[in-house]
Amino acid sequence: MNFATEHQYGVDPGEDTKKVETPEKYDDNIHEGSVETHDNVDELKRHLGNRQIQLIAIGGSIGTALFVSIGGGLMAGGPGSLFIAYTLYSCLLGLVNNCIAEMVIYMPVSGSFVRMAGKWVDESFGFMAGWNFFLYEACLIPFEISALNLVLTFWRDDIPVGAVCAICIVLYGLFNVVAVKYYGEAEFWLSSGKLLLLVMLFCFTFVTMVGGNPQHDAFGFRYWSNPGSFAEYVTTGSLGRFEGFLGALFSAAFTIVGPEYLAMVAGETIRPRTYLKNGFKTMYWRFGAFFIGGALCVGIILPYNDPTLQNAGTGTANGSPYVIAMQNMGISVFPHITNALMVTSIFSAGNAYTYCAMRSLYGLSLEGQAPKIFSKCTKQGIPIYAFAMVMCFPFLSFLQVSNNTAQVVTWFANLTEAAQLIDYIVMAVTYICFHRALKAQGIDRDTLPYKGWFQPWCGYIGAGGMTIMVCIYGYTTFLPGWWDVGTFFSYYTMVFVAIITFTFWKVLKKTRFVSAAQADLVWDKPIIDAYENSITEPPTKFREELMIMIGMKKRKTHLGVE
């Protein structure tokens, strides 16, 4: 398994090139002595440290939906259904996280699961996965800018829409074109704002439910009994309550995210097998604390039949269950603080989408599934032409300058809804093939840098569960009196796009599914092994990096301290 591939030759030494002793395991193909080592086979640079990786993982998990759209799930299902749905879906996504963690920590390459799908399943499967992820991320950038404009109307409605769009585009460009470390630093601070907001809202929930509100009303879990724990949706009776649970489950499916954002930074992470392992392992408690905790909180502070919850679909702060509860209690200042932090949350989401869209297009180019020009990088490791392509999408946000065309941007977001679920199906299916390849090639999983538990059953359950979600989440359009062509396509367009892109590449390239015995499990592993073996400084913990950042501690090296 461990031998150098042809990729190790013909790589131009860059500014991060080092001289290290060649490990004996590479002797089959490299002469003994010193060898050039590189961050990656491609041109990306590893500049993201533990501090940045952990906050990117948090920032990728916490989105606007957790503060606003979750109200739609409460209205559809009630607090009981919402809590159960968010718990169930968190467990399901945890299974997928278990799959992607093992693969990414083993092979932390640029493009991550997009390229793995092509290497270990089928080239056409990778083509479909890459373009699905790219379109999903790129189309959400203008949507987030639109959401930012809507949230700003909480204070006043005469803020120039075009100016906000232009400022966002410039800032996204600056954060993503200079060097990846600046993107990481921006996400560190923006994600810190998200985390602060979440902690504040959790504290608000606890304090007010025990009587710390202007009315001194210790309401506790009152709304779980009046109007009740389970709401009716679409129909009435037991069936209506089950459909309410489905409504809450679909809300969870578009609120609970995370593994894909951590996976996409794999090719630019310092000491990836240490820091990514920490990030993926902490994803489980993040699901529990952020999402299950969030679902519990909104069900405590607000009844599901509050008429103001209708604003949950508007994308404004007025639609946030927390803001509605604050206004109901007569709290005047806290809503403004919440809205200010929501602005940073929305801006951070757009910044993350810009980064992920660039890297997915870059990964497609490396595999020959997008024009080669998109794999060209600057000296700082930025895929410059992929950046230019992605930065065309934010300009769609200017459509909202005209009230008649503002809805177009929302359509872009709606058309890509299923793409997120398809991403998770891709991860799970790719893992199943990866697991089979390990077994067929006699590789003991105990030798991997990270071994996921309960495998391959996590992969099978994750793939099956996500496939069921994709198939049924638009079921209401098939009910009598509910049919609407636009709504149907908003649910299922990306499913059709996935089928078309897979079939197109299959027919064009006449690709075949990769057999378990022939799957390339070596790939870029020798380069990554050599890179990690060349690092002499000990890894730093998250808390240590924070102390180093503020000057309270010096960085350790193999010689002592700096």
Side-chain angles (χ1 to χ4, degrees):
M1 175 181 67
N2 294 319
F3 56 89
T5 65
E6 61 183 358
H7 297 305
Q8 199 150 355
Y9 303 101
V11 183
D12 295 329
E15 59 183 358
D16 295 323
T17 302
K18 306 169 185 175
K19 289 280 188 177
V20 296
E21 293 301 312
T22 306
E24 289 183 5
K25 57 187 176 183
Y26 298 147
D27 284 351
D28 291 341
N29 289 283
I30 301 179
H31 297 295
E32 294 184 4
S34 62
V35 62
E36 303 288 350
T37 62
H38 305 267
D39 290 6
N40 292 294
V41 169
D42 50 70
E43 299 179 51
L44 297 188
K45 307 297 182 184
R46 296 188 180 274
H47 289 315
L48 297 176
N50 192 25
R51 170 176 60 87
Q52 296 160 323
I53 289 298
Q54 297 306 318
L55 265 295
I56 287 173
I58 291 175
S61 300
I62 303 174
T64 312
L66 186 58
F67 305 121
V68 179
S69 304
I70 192 173
L74 175 64
M75 185 170 57
S81 289
L82 188 73
F83 180 74
I84 295 171
Y86 273 63
T87 301
L88 179 62
Y89 191 79
S90 292
C91 293
L92 182 61
L93 189 54
L95 300 181
V96 177
N97 181 74
N98 195 43
C99 296
I100 191 66
E102 185 172 319
M103 294 188 294
V104 170
I105 295 169
Y106 170 76
M107 192 72 71
V109 295
S110 309
S112 191
F113 68 92
V114 169
R115 297 176 67 197
M116 293 172 184
K119 288 284 187 180
W120 297 336
V121 183
D122 182 358
E123 187 180 330
S124 300
F125 194 67
F127 180 81
M128 177 272 291
W131 283 105
N132 174 79
F133 189 68
F134 168 73
L135 291 173
Y136 171 66
E137 297 294 314
C139 289
L140 282 178
I141 303 171
F143 175 76
E144 291 297 333
I145 298 176
S146 301
L148 185 62
N149 268 307
L150 288 170
V151 166
L152 290 175
T153 61
F154 178 80
W155 290 302
R156 52 191 302 169
D157 55 10
D158 59 349
I159 298 174
V161 172
V164 174
C165 296
I167 291 171
C168 286
I169 292 171
V170 170
L171 291 178
Y172 288 158
L174 290 176
F175 287 145
N176 285 276
V177 78
V178 182
V180 70
K181 61 183 178 182
Y182 294 107
Y183 163 79
E185 203 61 34
E187 277 302 292
F188 172 82
W189 292 106
L190 291 170
S191 297
S192 297
K194 290 184 182 182
L195 188 58
L196 175 62
L197 174 59
L198 194 61
V199 171
M200 288 171 55
L201 294 177
F202 283 2
C203 291
F204 161 79
T205 300
F206 176 75
V207 171
T208 55
M209 72 182 291
V210 298
N213 53 70
Q215 292 75 34
H216 304 292
D217 178 17
F219 54 85
F221 285 84
R222 177 186 302 162
Y223 300 131
W224 283 60
S225 57
N226 181 25
S229 299
F230 302 96
E232 296 175 344
Y233 182 63
V234 182
T235 56
T236 58
S238 297
L239 179 60
R241 286 188 289 272
F242 175 71
E243 290 177 319
F245 166 75
L246 290 180
L249 186 62
F250 301 149
S251 168
F254 299 109
T255 302
I256 305 173
V257 296
E260 64 270 41
Y261 298 103
L262 192 54
M264 289 307 292
V265 301
E268 295 168 276
T269 302
I270 300 169
R271 204 185 291 270
R273 291 187 177 132
T274 299
Y275 296 153
L276 289 176
K277 182 189 297 185
N278 294 338
F280 279 114
K281 289 174 71 174
T282 58
M283 194 69 72
Y284 303 105
W285 70 257
R286 287 169 183 162
F287 288 155
F290 300 160
F291 300 113
I292 299 176
L296 181 63
C297 285
V298 297
I300 290 173
I301 61 175
L302 204 64
Y304 69 77
N305 61 354
D306 189 299
T308 319
L309 270 177
Q310 296 292 336
N311 291 332
T314 65
T316 69
N318 286 321
S320 170
Y322 297 102
V323 173
I324 295 171
M326 293 170 194
Q327 293 173 335
N328 289 348
M329 296 177 194
I331 299 174
S332 58
V333 177
F334 206 25
H336 295 278
I337 299 174
T338 301
N339 195 64
L341 289 173
M342 280 180 59
V343 168
T344 65
S345 175
I346 295 171
F347 180 83
S348 173
N351 194 40
Y353 295 146
T354 304
Y355 173 89
C356 288
M358 288 168 57
R359 269 51 182 187
S360 58
L361 185 57
Y362 177 76
L364 284 166
S365 180
L366 290 178
E367 296 299 317
Q369 297 168 347
K372 281 296 181 184
I373 192 173
F374 293 130
S375 61
K376 176 65 177 176
C377 291
T378 64
K379 292 181 179 180
Q380 290 73 35
I382 300 298
I384 189 63
Y385 293 106
F387 164 81
M389 178 65 180
V390 170
M391 289 307 296
C392 294
F393 284 83
F395 283 93
L396 293 172
S397 62
F398 282 104
L399 290 172
Q400 65 185 307
V401 173
S402 168
N403 292 329
N404 295 327
T405 54
Q407 196 64 28
V408 175
V409 178
T410 303
W411 262 97
F412 270 104
N414 291 341
L415 290 173
T416 59
E417 283 183 349
Q420 183 170 298
L421 295 172
I422 294 173
D423 288 335
Y424 298 142
I425 295 172
V426 167
M427 294 177 191
V429 171
T430 302
Y431 179 81
I432 293 170
C433 295
F434 171 70
H435 188 277
R436 289 177 178 174
L438 290 173
K439 188 174 182 180
Q441 297 181 29
I443 300 173
D444 187 352
R445 289 179 62 236
D446 289 331
T447 64
L448 302 183
Y450 175 76
K451 178 183 177 182
W453 48 270
F454 196 53
Q455 292 290 15
W457 303 111
C458 284
Y460 286 113
I461 298 172
M466 292 298 176
T467 301
I468 292 173
M469 289 290 295
V470 168
C471 293
I472 69 171
Y473 85 111
Y475 81 97
T476 54
T477 58
F478 301 104
L479 297 178
W482 285 67
W483 172 257
D484 178 75
V485 175
T487 304
F488 171 79
F489 279 102
S490 73
Y491 284 135
Y492 293 109
T493 291
M494 289 309 295
V495 175
F496 299 139
V497 170
I499 295 172
I500 292 171
T501 51
F502 177 85
T503 305
F504 166 75
W505 203 252
K506 195 79 173 170
V507 172
L508 181 66
K509 296 294 183 178
K510 297 180 174 59
T511 65
R512 296 183 178 182
F513 287 97
V514 179
S515 68
Q518 295 178 338
D520 185 2
L521 297 178
V522 177
W523 195 3
D524 289 348
K525 187 175 183 296
I527 298 292
I528 298 166
D529 288 343
Y531 161 76
E532 290 221 324
N533 291 336
S534 72
I535 301 175
T536 56
E537 294 79 10
T540 55
K541 296 181 179 180
F542 178 76
R543 182 167 42 184
E544 289 178 330
E545 287 205 10
L546 284 179
M547 296 177 70
I548 292 170
M549 180 186 70
I550 62 179
M552 294 181 61
K553 193 172 184 178
K554 293 185 178 180
R555 188 179 299 276
K556 294 180 181 179
T557 69
H558 66 294
L559 298 176
V561 295
E562 290 181 345

